[in-house]
Structures are given as structure tokens and as C-alpha cells.
């Protein structure tokens, strides 16, 4: 399968470059060197997403991913270019050149995505007046590793801190794989600041190493790691219950334990890396669930990425806001990547959720799921 993916996507690109340049041997030599260097790293046992080393990272892995993305996008644009060329009776070489230009532009966008700021107001029935306007910043799926190092995570952390929110929620998958980047991501996330603290839950990738050491490193850095438990946050005598569940993929999650200490009248905010838990959370009257895991699909169809993206294969809750009666879910697209270190038409994000009071009558037994309808700040991005 790896061979098919690595070679198959490149065929249209290689063929067109051979035709356009007239230098078949040179094109094949470049494509072969890039691809076989990548495959040698994959099968060497040294690892790609753990710690491949700087030379392999910059001389082998990044060149392959850029080249492969160019091939993928060219394979998408080439059929359209062929149809247009035939329709207007233009030389095919013009169509291939146009497709190549579009693919190159798309490749630049795929690798230079800045996080978008997404802001949503969430009405919560019975929310105490003291928490009306309460702001929660959520980041997720950093996948700290060779493709998202400590310096990059530091920039994300600085962007969150500039927002000056009341609480920061970090919803799992903080590393890519292995123990190398555990102290790195813990040190960076330890710089996060929220008036009422920084809370985290574990994701499946956080157990691609020693999960206990991962949780302890985060706690030592100053984060409160919620593993099937909750805590109360107080304002002017009122309480907000902030809970978190452990990883679903390894079967460590226990929603009932996470909610066991919830005061009867307190609204509940749940950190759950995997959005699959949302229906169960809604049945337990959790007001707001913050999740990640999906990356918004990471690869999506332009202008329709919410409905058509790769995450649709694993869940219906792929990105943005969903509602079941009085319960709301927000699925964060995350900041990092997994698998291929690219995002196509699914930019990374930092979300700010503002809690708003809603009439008690707003709670409904309805289980209808609605699409993302809350406004976001168009064009906002972080450096």
C-alpha cells in the first residue's frame, strides 16, 4: 500500500513533466531519488514521526512530502485542464502547464497554513450570571514531533496567550509518537496562561509513548490533566464543572467517573479528545463538549470541506459545531498533522468559545444534529 501511494500519485506529474521539459531521464532521476530516499527511511526502522534526524528530515522527508503533494494536486487538476484544453482547442501542453501552476500554488498553501482564529458564542441554559461571557480557548492535536517542533508549539502558545482568556482547554494528541518530544511539548504548554488555569485531556497519540509519563510531564509543567475526573471553577460564588475523559482508543475512558463529582446545578464543560463520546455526553446533560481528533479531515474539498473530508470515514462529527438538544459539541480542527504533514483546504485553528446565558427553556430533549452555524472571524490568522 505504501508503494502504491508513494508511486501511483506521481505518475501524471512525472508524465507531464517529461512531456513539457523534453528531459525524460532527468525527470525520472529526480522523482526516483526523492521517492526511494523516502522509502529507504520508511523501511529502515529509524522512524519518520518519532525522531528521524535533521538531515533526513530536511533532505529526504520534506522534499518527498512537497513533491508528493504537488503530484496529488496535479492529479486532481489535470483532468479539468484536459477538458478545458479540448473545449477551447488549446494545445495540451498549455493545459498541463496551467494544471502544474495550480498544483504548485496549492502545494504552497498546503505547507504554509497559519492557524485561523475561530470564535463562537455558545448559549447554555442555566449558566450563572458570573460565567456569562466566560471565554475558553481550545487547542488540540498539536502532534509535536519532527514536523511540529518546540519552536512551532511556542508560537501557537504565544498566540493563545495574547487572547487573554479565562480558561485554556487542550484536547489531546499532543505528540506524534515516542518519548523524544514529551518534555518538549510539556515545556511549551507549560507557558500557556488562563485566568482559571490550563486543563488537558489525553488523546490516542499520547499513548504512543508511556502515557503515565506523558500525563506527569504535563502536570509538572503546570497543566491540570483530567483523566476521568472533573474540577470546579468558581466565580462570585457560582461554579462551572470542568471535566475530562481519558483516551477512547485504548479503552481508558469513563464518562460516568468524569462526571461523578459534578454539583447538581453546575453547568458542565467536558474535554473529550474523541467526539464519538458526544451522544453519551448529551444524554448525561453535559452542556458543552470540546473535542479534536479528526483534524477536520486534514484533506477536504474546497468550499465544502465540512461535509467532504477524510474524517467522514471515521465519524459524522468532523469539524465545527454540533448540537443535540441542549448539548453542544465543538470539534477543533487542531494545529498539527498526522500521517502526511499537510493540510489541504482544512486550515489549522485556535478556537475561542464564549459562554452565554440562555433561558432554561432552551434545554430540549431533541436529538437532532445541526451543522456549524455560528459565525467565525473570517480572515483571522496567527503568525
Amino acid at each position: 500500500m505504501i508503494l502504491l501511494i508513494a508511486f501511483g500519485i506521481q505518475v501524471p506529474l512525472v508524465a507531464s513533466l517529461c512531456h513539457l521539459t523534453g528531459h525524460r531521464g532527468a525527470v525520472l532521476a529526480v522523482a526516483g531519488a526523492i521517492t526511494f530516499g523516502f522509502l529507504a527511511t520508511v523501511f529502515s526502522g529509524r522512524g519518520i514521526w518519532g525522531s528521524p534526524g535533521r538531515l533526513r528530515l530536511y533532505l529526504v522527508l520534506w522534499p518527498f512530502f512537497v513533491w508528493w503533494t504537488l503530484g496529488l494536486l496535479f492529479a486532481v487538476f489535470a483532468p479539468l485542464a484536459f477538458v478545458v484544453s479540448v473545449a477551447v482547442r488549446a494545445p495540451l501542453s498549455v493545459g498541463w502547464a496551467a494544471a502544474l501552476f495550480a498544483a504548485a500554488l496549492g502545494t504552497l498553501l498546503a505547507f504554509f497554513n497559519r492557524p485561523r482564529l475561530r470564535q463562537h458564542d455558545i448559549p447554555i441554559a442555566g449558566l450563572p450570571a458570573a460565567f456569562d461571557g466566560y471565554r475558553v480557548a481550545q487547542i488540540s492535536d498539536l502532534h509535536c514531533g519532527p514536523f511540529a517542533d518546540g519552536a512551532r508549539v511556542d508560537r501557537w502558545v504565544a498566540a493563545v496567550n495574547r487572547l487573554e482568556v479565562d480558561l485554556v482547554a487542550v484536547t489531546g494528541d499532543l505528540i506524534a509518537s515516542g518519548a523524544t518530544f514529551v518534555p518538549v511539548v510539556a515545556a511549551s504548554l507549560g507557558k500557556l496562561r488562563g485566568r482559571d488555569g490550563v486543563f488537558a485531556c489525553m488523546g490516542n497519540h499520547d499513548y504512543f509513548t508511556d502515557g503515565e509519563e506523558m500525563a506527569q510531564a504535563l502536570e509538572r509543567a503546570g497543566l491540570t490533566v483530567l483523566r476521568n475526573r472533573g474540577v470546579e471553577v468558581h466565580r462570585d460564588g457560582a461554579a462551572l464543572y470542568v471535566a475530562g475523559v481519558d483516551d477512547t482508543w485504548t479503552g481508558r475512558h469513563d464518562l460516568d467517573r468524569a462526571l461523578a463529582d459534578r454539583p447538581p446545578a453546575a453547568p458542565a464543560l467536558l474535554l473529550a479528545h474523541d467526539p464519538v463520546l458526544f451522544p453519551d455526553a448529551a444524554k448525561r446533560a453535559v452542556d458543552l463538549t470540546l473535542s479534536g481528533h479528526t483534524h477536520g479531515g486534514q484533506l477536504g474539498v474546497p468550499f465544502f470541506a465540512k461535509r467532504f473530508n477524510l474524517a467522514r470515514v471515521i465519524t459524522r462529527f468532523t469539524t465545527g459545531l454540533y448540537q443535540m438538544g441542549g448539548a453542544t459539541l465543538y470539534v477543533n480542527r487542531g494545529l498539527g498533522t498526522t500521517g502526511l504533514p499537510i493540510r489541504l483546504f482544512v486550515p489549522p485553528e485556535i478556537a475561542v468559545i464564549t459562554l452565554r446565558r440562555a433561558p432554561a427553556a432552551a434545554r430540549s430533549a431533541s436529538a437532532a444534529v445541526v451543522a456549524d452555524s455560528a459565525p467565525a472571524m473570517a480572515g483571522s490568522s496567527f503568525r
Side-chain angles (χ1 to χ4, degrees):
M1 180 60 71
I2 293 177
L3 293 174
L4 179 62
I5 294 174
F7 283 104
I9 292 297
Q10 300 182 37
V11 171
L13 175 63
V14 170
S16 68
L17 287 175
C18 288
H19 174 74
L20 289 172
T21 65
H23 297 289
R24 181 178 302 176
V27 171
L28 292 174
V30 170
I34 292 174
T35 303
F36 284 110
F38 170 77
L39 293 177
T41 300
V42 170
F43 293 113
S44 68
R46 300 185 183 184
I48 295 177
W49 291 275
S51 184
R54 295 183 67 85
L55 285 179
R56 285 179 180 268
L57 178 64
Y58 290 108
L59 298 181
V60 177
L61 297 181
W62 275 120
F64 173 78
F65 288 126
V66 172
W67 172 257
W68 189 90
T69 304
L70 182 65
L72 173 65
L73 290 174
F74 183 82
V76 172
F77 291 127
L80 178 61
F82 174 79
V83 171
V84 172
S85 296
V86 171
V88 301
R89 298 182 180 181
L92 284 179
S93 58
V94 175
W96 300 148
L100 186 61
F101 176 80
L105 182 60
T107 300
L108 287 174
L109 295 175
F111 286 95
F112 292 97
N113 272 319
R114 290 177 178 172
R116 305 290 178 85
L117 175 60
R118 309 287 292 181
Q119 299 193 90
H120 300 274
D121 287 356
I122 305 297
I124 294 179
L127 182 73
F131 286 97
D132 187 29
Y134 193 83
R135 297 169 70 238
V136 178
Q138 183 201 7
I139 58 175
S140 191
D141 298 87
L142 283 69
H143 290 277
C144 183
F147 301 108
D149 60 12
R152 192 175 186 188
V153 176
D154 281 344
R155 290 195 292 272
W156 294 335
V157 167
V160 172
N161 287 342
R162 287 195 294 270
L163 297 170
E164 298 183 343
V165 296
D166 297 294
L167 182 147
V168 180
V170 185
T171 49
D173 273 8
L174 308 184
I175 59 165
S177 181
T180 302
F181 287 91
V182 169
V184 175
V185 75
S188 292
L189 293 180
K191 303 169 188 174
L192 282 168
R193 295 292 178 264
R195 293 185 182 90
D196 291 324
V198 181
F199 299 86
C201 66
M202 301 284 279
N204 52 298
H205 275 258
D206 300 321
Y207 287 99
F208 288 8
T209 184
D210 185 332
E212 296 300 324
E213 173 55 32
M214 177 76 189
Q216 291 171 18
L218 294 173
E219 290 276 2
R220 288 194 297 268
L223 283 73
T224 300
V225 183
L226 300 174
R227 304 168 73 188
N228 300 323
R229 69 186 183 97
V231 298
E232 295 180 39
V233 174
H234 295 95
R235 285 283 177 93
D236 299 332
L240 172 70
Y241 189 70
V242 181
V245 288
D246 213 330
D247 174 48
T248 59
W249 280 39
T250 54
R252 289 178 166 88
H253 64 289
D254 190 328
L255 189 53
D256 288 327
R257 279 180 55 200
L259 299 173
D261 296 328
R262 176 186 182 183
L269 168 64
L270 176 69
L271 278 57
H273 175 69
D274 191 342
V276 72
L277 292 177
F278 176 53
D280 289 336
K283 291 176 183 177
R284 290 163 174 78
V286 172
D287 299 278
L288 174 61
T289 300
L290 300 180
S291 296
H293 186 55
T294 68
H295 300 200
Q298 201 164 302
L299 305 179
V301 175
F303 308 110
F304 301 98
K306 181 177 176 67
R307 182 172 295 275
F308 301 106
N309 60 67
L310 286 184
R312 284 285 176 181
V313 176
I314 62 171
T315 180
R316 57 177 168 158
F317 306 119
T318 63
T319 178
L321 286 168
Y322 301 86
Q323 189 171 359
M324 287 185 172
T328 302
L329 165 70
Y330 187 76
V331 183
N332 192 297
R333 292 176 174 177
L335 288 165
T337 57
T338 190
L340 298 174
I342 63 173
R343 285 178 174 268
L344 287 174
F345 311 112
V346 184
E349 72 172 60
I350 294 171
V352 175
I353 306 295
T354 302
L355 308 185
R356 296 295 183 187
R357 298 188 75 187
R363 289 192 183 274
S364 167
S366 169
V369 179
V370 299
D372 184 353
S373 57
M377 284 189 65
S380 296
S381 63
F382 294 105
R383 292 186 180 274

